């Protein structure tokens, strides 16, 4: 599996975070994950297309130690840095080897509508995938799926969904410099 797809799956998780419902500890954990993923993306072999060069420069700027959130940074600063970094990282990961053909970090599964679960990816249109965050069952065999962006879809019968790949990570699973700039 392409490592860029796994990284993009992590970045999609950050995209679902909300500043009002995320604790500072969750944001700090996501910042560490973001630094690890951006650092890893920068180690890949990239071509010399202008858009790739621009994204690599943007990722390098985000990883500069003075720009990173530290323990004294406000929660809004840390969250905004996180969202900006996720945007740059996701765009860069999508360009790796021509972009993903399926949602990154996932494997295809076909299932009946009643087997769709929260956390699955649903392809709303070719190449556009939404993560299911909530669902209702108005009648047997029919599901109304709600996505993080507020959109919904009604599905029945056979539905193609993609499920996240299980990953094991540890504190030793790190790339690049420490996640926080030293406090001044």
């Amino acid at each position: 599996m392409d490592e860029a797809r796994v990284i993009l799956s992590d970045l999609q998780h950050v995209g679902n975070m909300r500043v009002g419902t995320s604790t500072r500890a969750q944001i700090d954990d996501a910042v560490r994950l973001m630094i690890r993923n951006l650092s890893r993306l920068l180690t890949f072999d990239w071509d010399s297309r202008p858009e790739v060069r621009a994204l690599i420069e943007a990722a390098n700027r985000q990883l500069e130690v003075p720009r990173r959130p530290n323990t004294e940074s406000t929660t809004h600063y840390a969250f905004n840095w996180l969202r900006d970094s996720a945007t740059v990282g996701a765009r860069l990961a999508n360009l790796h080897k021509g972009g993903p053909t399926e949602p990154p970090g996932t494997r295809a599964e076909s299932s009946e509508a009643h087997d769709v679960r929260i956390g699955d990816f649903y392809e709303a249109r070719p190449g556009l995938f939404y993560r299911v965050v909530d669902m209702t069952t108005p009648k047997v065999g029919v599901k109304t799926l709600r996505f993080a962006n507020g959109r919904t879809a009604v599905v029945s019968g056979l539905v193609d969904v993609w499920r996240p790949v299980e990953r094991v990570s540890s504190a030793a699973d790190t790339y690049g410099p420490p996640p926080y700039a030293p406090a001044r």
Side-chain angles (χ1 to χ4, degrees):
M1 177 180 290
D2 184 8
E3 189 176 355
R5 292 180 183 179
V6 175
I7 290 172
L8 190 53
S9 176
D10 289 342
L11 298 177
Q12 288 174 339
H13 168 72
V14 170
N16 290 333
M17 293 179 71
R18 300 288 174 252
V19 73
T21 58
S22 300
T23 66
R24 181 59 193 250
Q26 291 171 327
I27 292 172
D28 290 345
D29 289 343
V31 165
R32 284 188 284 278
L33 180 67
M34 181 62 59
I35 290 170
R36 180 173 47 240
N37 286 332
L38 278 180
S39 299
R40 182 66 186 130
L41 278 171
L42 292 176
T43 65
F44 292 171
D45 290 328
W46 295 101
D47 57 27
S48 59
R49 289 180 288 173
E51 64 268 18
V52 172
R53 283 196 313 263
L55 288 171
I56 288 173
E57 289 172 12
N60 279 322
R61 277 193 307 276
Q62 288 297 106
L63 288 173
E64 290 173 357
V65 174
R67 294 183 69 118
R68 293 183 195 173
N70 60 39
T71 55
E72 295 177 0
S73 299
T74 65
T75 303
H76 277 11
Y77 177 80
F79 187 80
N80 288 333
W81 180 91
L82 189 62
R83 294 297 294 254
D84 293 345
S85 298
T87 301
V88 169
R91 290 176 60 201
L92 193 57
N94 270 323
L95 291 175
H96 189 252
K97 295 186 180 177
T101 57
E102 63 186 49
T106 60
R107 57 187 164 77
E109 291 189 3
S110 289
S111 64
E112 295 288 337
H114 61 81
D115 287 334
V116 177
R117 299 186 297 222
I118 292 176
D120 289 348
F121 287 92
Y122 174 75
E123 189 170 16
R125 63 178 189 250
L128 179 62
F129 298 90
Y130 294 134
R131 183 185 292 265
V132 177
V133 295
D134 193 19
M135 69 180 98
T136 59
T137 307
K139 61 183 179 179
V140 176
V142 175
K143 293 267 187 190
T144 301
L145 308 178
R146 190 172 66 78
F147 308 109
N149 61 4
R151 295 183 182 208
T152 60
V154 177
V155 297
S156 63
L158 284 177
V159 178
D160 286 335
V161 294
W162 287 259
R163 300 233 162 95
V165 173
E166 298 293 325
R167 287 186 50 206
V168 177
S169 64
S170 68
D173 178 23
T174 184
Y175 303 96
Y180 291 111
R184 296 177 195 241

